[in-house]
Structure formats: C-alpha cells, structure tokens
Amino acid sequence: MEREAKKLYKLKADVIAAAGHPIRLAIIDFLKDGEQCVCDIADYVGAKRSNVSRHLGVLLNAGIISQRKDGLKMMYTLRTPCVLDFMKCVCGVLRENAKEATKVLQAL
Amino acid sequence: MEREAKKLYKLKADVIAAAGHPIRLAIIDFLKDGEQCVCDIADYVGAKRSNVSRHLGVLLNAGIISQRKDGLKMMYTLRTPCVLDFMKCVCGVLRENAKEATKVLQAL
DNA sequence: TTATTGCGTTACGTTATACTCACACAGATG
DNA sequence: CATCTGTGTGAGTATAACGTAACGCAATAA
C-alpha cells in the first residue's frame, strides 16, 4: 500500500469520522430541511451552544456543512446532501444487526 | 428531541464511526472484491496483526463485516456492501474541498 | 455616546476513550 | 512437538468530548 493511498484513506476517514458522532449526526439530520442557526441547532440536539459550536466546527472543517452570517446569527447548511444517504445504508446495517440478534435469541 | 431519537442517533453514529478510521476504511476497501484473511489484510494495510484484529473487531461489532472460520484462517467479508457507497460521497466532499481551496488561493 | 443583551466562538482543565505496540496465549495443522 | 494463525492483555501515548468561563461582535436601550 503506497503512501499516497494511505493519505487518501486518512482524508476520507476524517470526513466519515466527522459524521460519526450522535450530536453531529443529529445536526446533519436537522439541516436536511434547510439552514439553521446555532441556537436552534443547540435547542434541537439538547446541548450547550459552546459544545454545538465545536461540533459545527468539526463538520465545517470536514466540508460537510457551510456557514453564512446573517446579522447576529450564523447560519449553517448542508454542503453535500449526499451524506444523508449514509443514513439509509446505516439503517440497513442496524436492521441486519437486529435481525441477527433476534435469530440468535430464537435459538434458545 | 426525544430519548428514543437520541438512542437512534447513537446507534447510527457508532456504525459510521466504525468506518471513520484510515485502517478500517482501507479494510473495507480491500474487502470489496471478496473475503480475505487477517494476515492478508494486515499485509495490505501495513499494520500489525494484533492491531488489525482489533480493527476487525470494531467493524464486526458494528455489523459492517462478518467472519467465517476456514481452517487456520479467519475469513472476513463485507456484510453490507452499501458502505462502499460512502466512498463516492466522501470523494465528492473532498473534491469540493479541493475546489474551494484552489478558488481561495486564486484570489491572491 | 455608553451600557446591556443575545449570539457565537475560543481557551482552559478534566475526564474518558481510542490507538498502537510488545508480548503472551489458544486453536488448528503437519 | 513445531509452526502458523488469530485473539487477548497491559502499558503508554494520543486524541476527543465536555463544562465552565471568558471573549468579540452586532444590535438595541438608556
């Protein structure tokens, strides 16, 4: 495996890892209907504004969202909505997991 | 935001986070052509077997891969190949990031 | 003008978790 | 037994997440 390929995996992993947190996932889900300000996001996810601001910074740094200043408020919006497609696949994984679990339990 | 929704975000985030590591991403990519044993995976990603085994455990626990014993070897395979679709979207994000970066630099 | 309030970000310190390595261990095979 | 395979453990390091508090900024009130 070449160094270039490793770097590429690192870059990709950073983007995916940015989405791999409950609060950040909730933010992504909340933004699917359009841009939102930090305080409304904080209300939705039920976390402190400072914490939400940091999570938004992670998503912004990864390139998943973009920001726009509107008066006092900073509005955030999804930049690449395809991340929403992650959800479908992930739900499929969870369903498979649940199916497997029930199958194992039925063998008792 | 209800407690149930939070739990669901946590479950989804765990699956996504399982994919959000360079080595684990390389493993997923390496498995796209079919099942592989631990030693070959370790060779491909260039990491110690014990480390790779741990990463495989994470992916297994998340439900992204499944395992099958074949003599001495433990074979791993993708259980939900849709995770490969993550790559396309992530590449799109990376391309957008690069485009943005060059645009910023051209303004100099 | 100054003071104040709301919004968002950043800094600091703490806690928790993740990653890696070296090594030891167990299972299967010849 | 000797060897190859994969997994588990313990220790060290690094990184991430969070709360609290402080700060800058814009808009409004006094």
Side-chain angles (χ1 to χ4, degrees), chain B residues 6-104:
Chain B
K6 276 194 181 180
K7 282 187 189 176
L8 195 53
Y9 282 130
K10 174 79 168 63
L11 286 175
K12 292 181 187 174
D14 285 342
V15 175
I16 296 178
H21 186 281
I23 290 182
R24 295 198 288 269
L25 210 54
I27 292 174
I28 292 172
D29 201 35
F30 187 53
L31 291 181
K32 69 169 183 290
D33 297 325
E35 67 176 5
Q36 299 284 349
C37 66
V38 179
C39 52
D40 287 346
I41 296 172
D43 282 348
Y44 175 72
V45 304
K48 306 283 183 200
R49 277 208 304 269
S50 65
N51 197 16
V52 170
S53 180
R54 287 187 74 94
H55 284 299
L56 287 167
V58 173
L59 291 171
L60 187 67
N61 184 58
I64 294 177
I65 61 177
S66 58
Q67 60 181 182
R68 179 182 72 85
K69 200 163 189 178
D70 181 31
L72 264 182
K73 301 187 174 179
M74 184 69 83
M75 308 301 291
Y76 285 92
T77 179
L78 280 182
R79 196 166 70 123
T80 40
C82 66
V83 285
L84 290 171
D85 297 340
F86 284 20
M87 309 283 190
K88 292 180 207 159
C89 173
V90 170
C91 285
V93 173
L94 292 178
R95 264 190 289 272
E96 283 291 321
N97 292 352
K99 200 188 298 177
E100 182 83 12
T102 56
K103 199 170 72 181
V104 169

Side-chain angles (χ1 to χ4, degrees), chain A residues 65-97:
Chain A
I65 61 176
S66 58
Q67 61 182 184
R68 179 181 72 86
K69 199 162 189 179
D70 181 33
L72 265 184
K73 300 187 175 179
M74 185 69 82
M75 308 301 290
Y76 285 92
T77 178
L78 281 183
R79 197 167 69 122
T80 41
C82 66
V83 286
L84 291 170
D85 298 339
F86 284 19
M87 308 284 190
K88 291 180 207 159
C89 174
V90 170
C91 286
V93 174
L94 292 179
R95 264 191 289 272
E96 284 291 321
N97 292 353

